[in-house]
Amino acid sequence: MARNNARKVVFPEKACPYARELAKRSKAFRLQISSRGETDADDGYQVDPFGELEEKTKVPGLTQRFPDRVLVMTSENCFANCRHCTRRGILGKKKIVDTDEALDSCVKYVLRHPKVRDVLLSGGDALVLSDEKVLKFAEAFAKLDQIDIVRLCTRAPCVNPQRITAKLATKLSKLKKIWVNTQFNSADEVTSQAIRACNEFISRGIPVSCQTVLLKGVNDTPKKMLALLKALSAAKIRPYYVFMCDDVAGIDRFRVPIEKARQIEAFCARNIGGLSMPRFVRDIASAKRKEPI
Ligand code: SF4
């Protein structure tokens, strides 16, 4: 277990209307409702287990944990505040890239580090920004020869699919290097609106991949996880990771024991083909890769 540097964490409940409506009839309901325990954050875990506030920040708003990729904080807001969020204690404290000068510093950092080939536009949620700003971020990195992948990290398909328009997807597709990373946690979230939103990207050649989090009470049975993987692959959304909850303070009620996770993984592997089968992993601060469970 990680060393405890926890403080009281205040992470307000917040959800846009679509997310609120969906939550009422979804297994993902728990993801939006706070609990008393989560604000104490006195559970032995850290507020910032990955050192994003300080040691991994290379220039304001840019963090690097692995040699080939960097994460750029485009915003500190989301369409819904997921209770299990890894950054629940640092959103609002972590620097975001909110000026042209700050973006320029990030680009210069990447140019000084030629091993970087993959840029994550994250936050918060990158798509809370205007189209103009999203495109400015995407273009700034996509135009660099060393960059192969610009990942747009967003839960908009799951919690606010109306945000994704044909116009935005068309402009992003012209940059050729965009991949969308999203996070569906329940088959209930894979609605017709969500599928339409993802298809705006997929039909224009932008891959959409899903990083699910294994969450108690949401998707922690073999049947629920299998249903999610089937729904994703039917929508041509690639399920590529299922993460154990991170070592972050305040999310204990969502943790699933590792043995149970292994059983769910084994069940899914027996019941679905490799194309639809994600890797079940843990993100450990000291590790050089995402660790298979
Ligand atoms: S959308 Fe992502 S960054 Fe925002 S609260 Fe949810 S998990 Fe955290």
Side-chain angles (χ1 to χ4, degrees):
M1 187 182 288
R3 189 172 53 84
N4 182 7
N5 69 352
R7 306 277 185 282
K8 196 169 175 69
V9 173
V10 178
F11 188 51
E13 274 186 24
K14 187 176 83 176
C16 64
Y18 173 91
R20 272 203 305 274
E21 278 309 305
L22 179 67
K24 283 183 196 161
R25 51 194 161 85
S26 167
K27 310 238 174 13
F29 187 52
R30 270 166 68 76
L31 300 184
Q32 289 181 22
I33 306 299
S34 60
S35 76
R36 260 195 315 190
E38 67 179 56
T39 52
D40 295 338
D42 191 17
D43 51 16
Y45 292 94
Q46 299 183 38
V47 173
D48 179 23
F50 299 108
E52 293 193 63
L53 285 178
E54 286 178 15
E55 67 258 41
K56 300 296 179 192
T57 293
K58 307 301 178 183
V59 293
L62 179 148
T63 54
Q64 185 172 24
R65 292 177 52 209
F66 303 101
D68 68 328
R69 67 213 101 129
V70 294
L71 183 147
V72 174
M73 285 291 287
T74 62
S75 84
E76 58 191 4
N77 292 308
C78 302
F79 299 109
N81 278 354
C82 315
R83 308 320 304 167
H84 62 285
C85 178
T86 292
R87 297 200 183 104
R88 65 198 311 285
I90 62 174
L91 287 177
K93 297 182 192 145
K94 190 168 160 54
K95 271 264 177 220
I96 61 166
V97 177
D98 53 0
T99 63
D100 287 351
E101 292 72 31
L103 178 55
D104 195 42
S105 298
C106 294
V107 170
K108 284 182 176 146
Y109 178 86
V110 170
L111 288 169
R112 289 198 302 276
H113 295 82
K115 282 189 183 160
V116 174
R117 57 179 289 275
D118 183 350
V119 175
L120 286 75
L121 302 179
S122 188
D125 195 311
L127 283 189
V128 299
L129 302 174
S130 65
D131 284 10
E132 190 189 5
K133 286 186 177 161
V134 172
L135 288 160
K136 183 184 270 193
F137 273 107
E139 274 170 13
F141 296 103
K143 73 182 182 194
L144 305 181
D145 286 343
Q146 75 189 71
I147 297 300
D148 296 328
I149 297 169
V150 177
R151 296 195 230 181
L152 187 60
C153 304
T154 176
R155 286 204 81 216
C158 325
V159 292
N160 192 21
Q162 302 91 316
R163 169 67 187 92
I164 295 160
T165 61
K167 189 171 154 205
L168 176 63
T170 300
K171 288 187 175 167
L172 287 168
S173 71
K174 290 192 174 138
L175 301 175
K176 306 288 185 199
K177 297 181 180 178
I178 307 296
W179 294 54
V180 169
N181 253 18
T182 191
Q183 186 199 121
F184 287 96
N185 294 314
S186 161
D188 295 344
E189 291 178 324
V190 190
T191 62
S192 56
Q193 296 101 309
I195 293 169
R196 193 279 311 158
C198 291
N199 200 43
E200 299 291 3
F201 294 124
I202 295 164
S203 64
R204 290 171 175 83
I206 298 177
V208 178
S209 304
C210 178
Q211 308 188 147
T212 294
V213 185
L214 184 59
L215 296 160
K216 186 173 172 183
V218 176
N219 55 23
D220 65 332
T221 69
K223 279 190 177 169
K224 282 182 193 166
M225 184 58 74
L226 187 64
L228 172 60
L229 302 183
K230 284 182 174 173
L232 290 172
S233 37
K236 295 194 174 62
I237 301 163
R238 184 185 165 224
Y240 87 112
Y241 276 140
V242 172
F243 278 102
M244 301 295 288
C245 283
D246 285 330
D247 285 346
V248 69
I251 64 169
D252 244 5
R253 68 187 165 120
F254 291 114
R255 293 186 196 282
V256 176
I258 191 101
E259 273 316 314
K260 190 170 185 188
R262 288 178 180 137
Q263 285 165 11
I264 294 169
E265 180 186 31
F267 176 86
C268 291
R270 285 195 304 273
N271 285 283
I272 204 160
L275 266 183
S276 309
M277 182 65 197
R279 284 186 287 161
F280 282 59
V281 294
R282 283 187 295 185
D283 195 2
I284 299 169
S286 57
K288 297 204 179 325
R289 55 174 292 196
K290 302 289 174 357
E291 291 288 333
I293 65 168

